[in-house]
Amino acid sequence: MGSLFGSKPSDAHVIWRSGRDDGGKKRFDFEYLELWAAHFGVDYEEWERVDHDRGEDPRKQHVCVFHWAKSGGQEVSLGGETWTMGASERPRTFIEIDEAGMVRLKGWTSETTIDVDELVLDGTTLRLRTADGGQKSLDVEKLASKPDANTT
């Protein structure tokens, strides 16, 4: 997929390969990912960190957070009402893409890191083709909604 000159195969591509050498160089359109996230009400963030599953050097991460969870804090009760003070929010379900095309995906029950050659946004579905030729489809709506009340 892709042209000889490295242009996007379609407007919906976030990751793709262009050129013929060694399967082509990975290309990215993180600006489109950010616009897509804003359109569908998904939080988009960028940060730099070391993820030892993907490498030893800090890499810029492009993150779409589908659901946040509160952690920590202290519960305070007064007059029959309860508040949690000092709790912080952390990403609960998300996709995190680094500048090498490695993807960390955290769902409700699992977390995985995969090398992605192609990521296409199709409405609220993320379509991925992995470096080993596998294909995955992720439904953002499922990642955004708690599967049941017992999941945190």
Side-chain angles (χ1 to χ4, degrees):
M1 230 194 256
S3 76
L4 290 173
F5 302 108
S7 62
K8 284 179 72 168
S10 77
D11 288 341
H13 277 75
V14 172
I15 301 173
W16 69 98
R17 285 196 177 271
S18 65
R20 295 187 216 185
D21 298 335
D22 298 322
K25 182 179 179 186
K26 282 188 188 179
R27 305 283 184 188
F28 305 93
D29 186 352
F30 291 121
E31 184 177 319
Y32 180 69
L33 179 65
E34 185 175 6
L35 291 170
W36 171 88
H39 178 77
F40 286 104
V42 173
D43 290 330
Y44 177 85
E45 302 203 0
E46 292 179 14
W47 53 66
E48 189 167 308
R49 70 180 188 89
V50 174
D51 180 340
H52 296 290
D53 289 337
R54 294 181 278 182
E56 297 303 316
D57 298 320
R59 294 184 183 171
K60 189 171 191 177
Q61 311 290 332
H62 302 267
V63 186
C64 290
V65 179
F66 307 113
H67 190 85
W68 293 88
K70 289 188 188 241
S71 64
Q74 180 178 354
E75 233 176 59
V76 177
S77 295
L78 181 65
E81 292 191 45
T82 304
W83 298 274
T84 302
M85 307 284 287
S88 62
E89 285 195 323
R90 62 178 171 75
R92 176 62 184 89
T93 61
F94 58 87
I95 186 170
E96 180 183 65
I97 307 165
D98 72 18
E99 53 199 18
M102 296 297 290
V103 170
R104 182 172 148 217
L105 174 68
K106 178 130 169 56
W108 290 104
T109 59
S110 65
E111 183 173 342
T112 189
T113 300
I114 50 180
D115 187 2
V116 172
D117 275 353
E118 185 176 59
L119 169 59
V120 179
L121 304 175
D122 182 7
T124 59
T125 301
L126 307 174
R127 302 200 186 281
L128 301 120
R129 186 171 45 83
T130 63
D132 64 6
Q135 295 190 15
K136 299 183 184 303
S137 291
L138 306 167
D139 183 348
V140 171
E141 292 172 347
K142 287 183 181 177
L143 291 170
S145 302
K146 284 187 178 182
D148 62 45
N150 296 325
T151 304
T152 56

